[in-house]
Amino acid sequence: MAAPHVTDDVPHDECGVFGIFAPGEEVSKLVYLGLFALQHRGQESTGMAVSNGYRTMVFKDMGLVSQVFNESALNSLTGYLAIGHDRYSTTGSSEWSNAQPTYRELPGDGRRKGGLSLAHNGNLTNTNELSAWLEERTGEQLLKYEMDSTNDTQLVTALLASYGNDIDAGLAEVLPRLAGAFSLVLMTEKKLWAARDRHGVRPLVLGKFGDGWVLASETCALDIIGAQFVREIAPGEIIRVDEDGIHSSTFAKPEPKGCIFEYVYLARPDSVIADRQVQMVRERIGRQLAIEHPVDADMVMATPASGVPGAIGYAKQSGIEYGTGLVKNAYIGRTFIQPTQTMRQLGIKMKLNPIPEAIKGKRLVIVDDSIVRGNTQRAIIKMLRQAGAKEVHVRISSPPVTWPCYYGIDFSTREELIAPDKTTEQIAREIGADTLGYVSLDGMAECVDLPKSQLCAACFSGNYPIQIPSHAPRACGD
């Protein structure tokens, strides 16, 4: 687990994945566009593996999609079959060796049998058991501190590659033994696969592109290349795409536990998950927030950009005017400047700046998607008061985050979080708000409009529906 970024006080999903099989097309630029659409899911590194049917080329590096790939690089990646990956570290450190896709030569009898490339979104919780199984199968010791990639993706790649060219058999045996969350895309020189864990924690969708097929973490990546959405990959399903078309099989009975935080923050608002338009879900949560936590105020505003849908919903329900009080620098990206004390102080102002004329003398309701550590909200409220705000009332489109996530979001200890040992009133005082209100878990789930039994809300409730590491803390009564 990477350490939190000092100027980055928002939750991050681990990754975005993309795959395409499109004979007759040069797909590298399509992968580029797909990864660009999924950039919100990971900004530390990016990469792609591309095959022309005979050999695979892998290109990956640290940075944003637009920083890593240029016209020359894309033109050199020729082929009709590819997978791509955007990464934000949840396991493994932030360094080049952990960039994906991973790649392994497949074993052969004195001759090359090709290679396996793999990209993973999620987080596994039984890597010790899997490492022991790999050693039992192959004699290889692939321990965390010895891996050329210190993440669980390398371990899955090694296990599947041990089956040689019979990747279908490998998937049938390996996937049922993976605990935790995973949405995978993988490929050899001639075939493309995708798989989703039996709980469907992380999204994964299938699209049609001409005579070819596309796989992606979110529907927004289909939209950007003009692919037609077909359906979601079902929990426990394996998809294989080859020259004979598309094939589906299952490795486990579905037990849906989709991450509720995808609807609140992680997914792009123009994506669709489980037939729910994310933007509309977030607006409904904003309306619910206004019902549960009304306040007399002059203007509703958002923490841009993730708080905007909730703020719109709050304004519609409350009848309070919606306005813009903060402007976001659209070009901020991720910074690699060393985190000196000066940079810590300026980190928020690099991203957001208040509009004094819109704020001065007003009682404000500011809507955000979540509070993780409280640093961002504290800095924003200070800026708003310095700009002349009379009152600042904070409303949050999710319940208090009180438990760590083991399924692919980057808070791993309770010590990282502001809410576990504080009341709402104490948190309000700590961040400098006049009042603070969180939407209830029941209210949020009602807005998603899925049975609570089909959602994972462990970071709010502490009730983990899937195996977690043996050393991990549990909620009382678990």
Side-chain angles (χ1 to χ4, degrees), residues 184-226:
L184 305 175
V185 292
L186 55 146
M187 59 177 272
T188 56
E189 276 70 18
K190 296 182 183 293
K191 298 179 182 181
L192 172 68
W193 288 264
R196 195 176 179 202
D197 69 80
R198 73 189 70 189
H199 307 289
V201 178
R202 299 285 157 230
L204 190 62
V205 297
L206 173 68
K208 194 79 171 69
F209 182 80
D211 294 329
W213 298 90
V214 184
L215 299 150
S217 290
E218 295 183 36
T219 59
C220 63
L222 306 181
D223 297 337
I224 197 172
I225 67 167

Side-chain angles (χ1 to χ4, degrees), residues 461-475:
S461 67
N463 296 315
Y464 295 97
I466 308 165
Q467 175 183 332
I468 60 175
S470 57
H471 65 275
R474 292 180 177 268

Side-chain angles (χ1 to χ4, degrees), residues 99-167:
Q100 296 185 36
T102 53
Y103 178 83
R104 277 231 168 188
E105 292 284 340
L106 296 176
D109 299 324
R111 57 189 177 88
R112 185 179 182 277
K113 287 193 173 183
L116 175 68
S117 304
L118 186 145
H120 170 213
N121 173 211
N123 204 45
L124 302 182
T125 59
N126 65 331
T127 52
N128 289 338
E129 293 91 334
L130 295 174
S131 294
W133 183 35
L134 178 66
E135 184 176 3
E136 179 185 315
R137 274 189 58 82
T138 67
E140 180 178 4
Q141 290 185 324
L142 194 58
L143 303 175
K144 286 282 185 182
Y145 60 87
E146 292 177 339
M147 291 186 195
D148 59 342
S149 171
T150 56
N151 53 37
D152 43 19
T153 309
Q154 188 68 257
L155 182 55
V156 177
T157 309
L159 281 166
L160 291 173
S162 71
Y163 289 82
N165 275 332
D166 199 353
I167 301 300

Side-chain angles (χ1 to χ4, degrees), residues 13-34:
D13 189 65
E14 184 183 4
C15 307
V17 299
F18 188 88
I20 185 168
F21 184 99
E25 298 281 348
E26 287 292 345
V27 299
S28 62
K29 292 180 181 178
L30 297 174
V31 178
Y32 173 90
L33 293 173

